[in-house]
Every structure is written in C-alpha cells, then in structure tokens.
Amino acid sequence: MSTLDGTVAAPDTASAPALPLASRQDGTYPRPQMLRTAWADLDGTWSFRNDGDDTDWRTGFPDARDIVVPFPPESVASGIDEPGFHPVVWYSRAITRADLEAAGHGTVAPRLVLHFGAVDYRARVWIDGQFIGEHEGGHTPFSFDVTDALTSPEADPDAVHTLVVRAEDDPHDLTQPRGKQDWHEDPHAIWYRRTTGIWQTVWLEAVPTASIEYLRWTNVDHATVRLTVRIAGGRTGGERLRVVAWWDERDEHLATVEATLGDTSDEFDVVVPIARQTNGQAEDELHWTPDAPRLVDATVSLLPRTGATPIDSVASYFGLRTVGVDGGTFLLNGRSYDVRSVLNQGYWPDSHIAAPSREALRREVELIKELGFNAARNHQKIEDPRFLYWADRLGILVWGEAPGAYAFSPRAVQRLMREWMDAVERDASHPSIVTWVPANESWGVQHIATDPAQQAYARSLADVTRAIDPTRPVISNDGWEHTNSDIVTVHDYEGAGDALAKTYADDAARTALFAHFGPADRWVLVGGAQDLGQPVMLTEFGGVNYQPGAQREDGWGYTSASDGDDWVTRITALYDAIRASSFLAGSCYTQLTDTMQETNGLLNADRSPKVPIEQIRLAVTGR
C-alpha cells in the first residue's frame, strides 16, 4: 500500500459526479458507504433444492421449489419454512437482459461484478455451468467479476443466463463461527433456529475497466481523516484520485484533495484535512455523536492522467469522531460518555437473522433510541451494513461482535480469525461502531482460565483487531476471563436491585470484583492480566421474563415478573443500582426483543412494546 502526498485544491464542482447523497440514502443500496448509480437487485424468487445427497445441480434443476431470497429456508418468509437440518442447499436464478441493463452494463461501464452480502456458510457459484468462484464465511461479503460469463445485451438481446449457488452449512460443525445458531435440531437454552445459505442481498453492478473496489475512512484526529482506497482492474498508469468532502446540512465545502496514484500498488492512503476543525472553539459543530449524528458527504473519483472526466466515481460518507478509554472512563470525542446499551440479537420471527425488510433495519435503530438507549451491542452477529448506516445516520453507538464458534482447534482458530478480519475491514468506516468484540463468554475457549493456548488465542484475536484498527477499544472476551481488554466487561444476572447495587457500589466493590470469582463463578481476569484501571461495564444484566400476551410454555428469563407493573419495577431497580455505582462506565440490558424461547425482551418478538414505551424509557434513563 502506498501513502500519497496529495495537494489540497479548491473545490471543482464541474468534476463532481452526479451521485446521490450517501448520507441521505433510503437504505436500499447494499453497500451504503460506496454508492453507484446503477445496480441490479437480484433478490426475490429463486429456484431451490434441499439436497442431502449433494447431487450436482450446477447447470440448474427443473424440479425445484421456489424460495424468496434473501430469507433462509428455515424461515417462514422464504416460502420453504423447513427448520430442520440443511447440510447442502442449491439456488438458481435466471439473469436476463433486464438485469444487465439495470446493472448498467454497456451504458455505464463494461465490467460486471456479482455481489453477495452473506451466504452461510460455504458458497460455490456457477453461471451457465461455468465455475465462477467460492467463499467461506457465513457473515461476510464476497464478489466475483462475471463479465466473461455474461453476454452483453448488445451482443445477444435475448440471452438468458443461469446463476447457480451451492451453499454448504454443516449444522454439527462446531468449528464454524455460528453465533446463536443452534446445532441441535430444535432450539434450546440461549440458541435459536439456524440460518442456511443466502441471507443478505445478491446484486449485480457494472463498473469500469479500472474501478474503485474498496473504501475505508479512518479518523486520525479531530481535524483529519485518512481514506484508504483499493483499485481493481486494468490501469494505464498515472491515474489520479480526487476526494471532495462537504457538509450537506450547511451546504459547506470542507475539503478537496487530489493525488496521483503510483503504479506499484493497488491500495493507497490519502490524507484528508478538514481545515474548519482546526478552530477548537467550533470543532464540536461537526463532531458525530448519538445526540447529533452529523455525517460528512464525500465523492471519491478515479481520474485519468489528464482530463476531468472521471473513470469511476462513488458516493460515500464518514463521521468525524474519536473514541477511547482513559481513567476508567469511556471517551467519545475526548469527553467521558456513559454508554447505555441494549443487547440486540438481530433476529425476527419470520425471517431469522435476515431482516424481514430494509425498512425493518431502520425501525430497529429507531426503537433502540425511543427506548432511551444510546448504544446497541449486536450480539453474535455481523449485522447487515444497512443497519449500520441507520445507526450512523440516526445516531447510536454500536459494539461490533464476532459470531462465535464452539470448538477450540487449529481449524476453528483459522476460520474465526479470517472471518473476523474480513468483518472489521468491511465495517471499520462506520462512525457508529465504537468497540470491537471478537469473543464472548469464552465461547470456543471454554478452558481459557487454565489453558495457555486458549489464552494466547484470545490475546491474539484482540491484538490482530488492534493491528487492523487501532482507533477503537477492543474487548478480548466479553463477560469474564479477560486477557488483554481495553474495557473490562461483566455479565451479571442478579435479579434484585439492592444486591446488584452492592456488587458495583464503589472502589472497594470494584477491588473485590477483580480479586475473586465474578458473578458467573468465573475469574474476571486470567492469564496474567492485570487491573490497569480500565473502564468497567456491566454488559449483560436484566433479562427479566414477562409475557403480556399468549404464553410460550418454553419461554424463560433469568428472573420473572408477575405482571407489567412488577416488570417495570424490577427493571427500574436494576437501573437505579447501575446509576448509583461510582465506577461503572456503561451497561447493556438483556435484551431488546423476545427471541424465540427467550421471553426476556423489552419488546415482544414482533417489536411491539410490552408496556407503554414511555414507562420503559423512564426505567432505562431515570428521567
């Protein structure tokens, strides 16, 4: 990768591409921080076969059933609704002239890229029987250049191509990062129905011969961002990169930077100074916070050696904000910030970990805010980027968390490490993400308290996360048995507010917490880790069971309420205990919604509140 010394130029509106405002999009485009104008949404009705014998169907299958992509076959929304085991499934869809034209092929750009948001767990792809490529990792995106496999509309207006996807998801393989997906046939304890195969958007996009493939925005300090750009395809040499940033809310130009790309790399760093931020008295005007989620719009253009017409342009956005820890406090933009979070499983009754609609992703963020929270811990799931867009735009902090595996072995280590690194790279530009959580409750490292190898793994996961992204705090093992966490987190489902208050009352209580087994009879620190004065957060608590409507016989919580008033009283007492603590820097209530047999949500599974939402907000915020 090359670092470019750009020259700051005056704004050149004539060269700005006609692109939508990335900060004001409608949440439809699957990659919200890298918008282009033309793309073909391939979601909808596909052909489907559930093939336990793994017959070769790479050229298509005439006796298939219909499935609605991107909903998993275990879900009602898919039209299949078969919640049992699906070790191997096949999908097929025709790609028509209309798809190619919608993608912009031939009119916008000559190359075609096929994108998959996420396929769980291993995918292989063919077009007209020609093998295109494969990918492993159930939560991360992948794409293929399929130009040679697809005939242009001009060459053959009537051509129809067959896209086939084979997805393999062994339900019994505990080395796969699987999060809350159960390996039993029926859900048990805290685990839910599985998600097999395609569960995020599939889409086709035309790009130029040389194109912008990847963007990453990094906050260097309060007045500077660094843009990392990766270029794909053939270049002739001497191309330039132009970055234009402006604050749409005030129609204020912030920066234009142009730099010439070197010829020996495909990845480049460009420093973008925001001059107005050097005035310290006014810098808060542009800072991103949950209360004021200000976003900076940008266009990134790849230009030829000479001339002003872009080879490729994308619309993007970023947020100016810094996060960190100091003196036992979580810092946002250099100031202490009380993190008031809720555990979000990102699971819906009829569609499982796939959102039932794009609007549902926005509504999830809105509900989190309406309930009085300023943060969400996305639990055991790498969420759809469009959820993160709404978190950026509407304003909540997000804890990015890896879906855990349940075995410890070289294969499990390699699989989780690779998928986690891809996830951090995908999401690092989102200002809403303020913390990385590569492991939770010793899942996959069950003997971390005594096993040096598992301790080394947890330390390495945290350290490689810092190596990829040194700008955010990292939690090595959320809940207990920390090795090298920047924030020490504790899970405590004590149901009585007065007892919880004693555990987290003051510095003496903090010392006792670190000196003995924690609330789950687990050490807080292991492997020689020390109390270095890190912030302490109670990142799972509550979980009070209350079912106001029809009762699930298998419904449960960590404690139970007799009615709505009792439920609110219990939650208020728990929050009063947290508010009374002299050292807790944040908290995370379990959980946002009822999820299958876990009936301990603040909302029902259909997202309706269990009591008037104002009562829940008062309990959470105390005001």
Side-chain angles (χ1 to χ4, degrees), residues 371 572 575 579 613-623:
L371 287 165
T572 301
Y575 268 103
R579 286 186 280 267
I613 208 163
E614 296 79 11
Q615 294 184 36
I616 303 173
R617 183 182 181 93
L618 179 61
V620 169
T621 65
R623 60 182 185 275

Side-chain angles (χ1 to χ4, degrees), residues 565-579:
D565 289 341
D566 180 39
W567 185 67
V568 172
T569 298
R570 288 171 180 268
I571 294 171
T572 301
L574 295 173
Y575 268 103
D576 284 344
I578 290 170
R579 286 186 280 267

Side-chain angles (χ1 to χ4, degrees), residues 166 227 232 276 365 371 387 446 490 540 562 577:
R166 175 187 183 273
L227 173 63
R276 76 175 321 274
V365 176
L371 287 165
F387 173 90
Q446 292 295 338
V490 181
E540 285 189 28
S562 58

Side-chain angles (χ1 to χ4, degrees), residues 135 138-141 214 216 381-383 385 388 400-403 415-430 433 436-438 465 468-469 472:
H135 176 265
H139 285 71
T140 49
Y214 170 77
R216 175 175 171 179
K381 179 186 179 186
I382 300 165
E383 190 52 272
L388 299 176
E401 183 172 321
R415 283 177 161 177
L416 194 142
M417 186 76 77
R418 179 176 60 247
E419 191 165 350
W420 178 239
M421 291 169 67
D422 289 345
V424 173
E425 181 178 68
R426 190 199 77 172
D427 292 341
S429 292
H430 289 282
I433 292 187
W436 296 120
V437 185
T465 306
I468 298 172
D469 178 15
R472 293 173 171 94

Side-chain angles (χ1 to χ4, degrees), residues 262-286:
D263 296 331
T264 59
S265 177
D266 64 351
E267 191 168 293
F268 307 91
D269 279 347
V270 180
V271 175
V272 183
I274 310 298
R276 76 175 321 274
Q277 294 301 97
T278 58
N279 177 1
Q281 298 304 312
E283 67 179 28
D284 282 355
E285 291 180 347
L286 194 53

Side-chain angles (χ1 to χ4, degrees), residues 550-566:
Q551 304 291 301
R552 285 188 63 126
E553 292 184 2
D554 60 347
W556 67 276
Y558 295 91
T559 57
S560 293
S562 58
D563 56 32
D565 289 341
D566 180 39

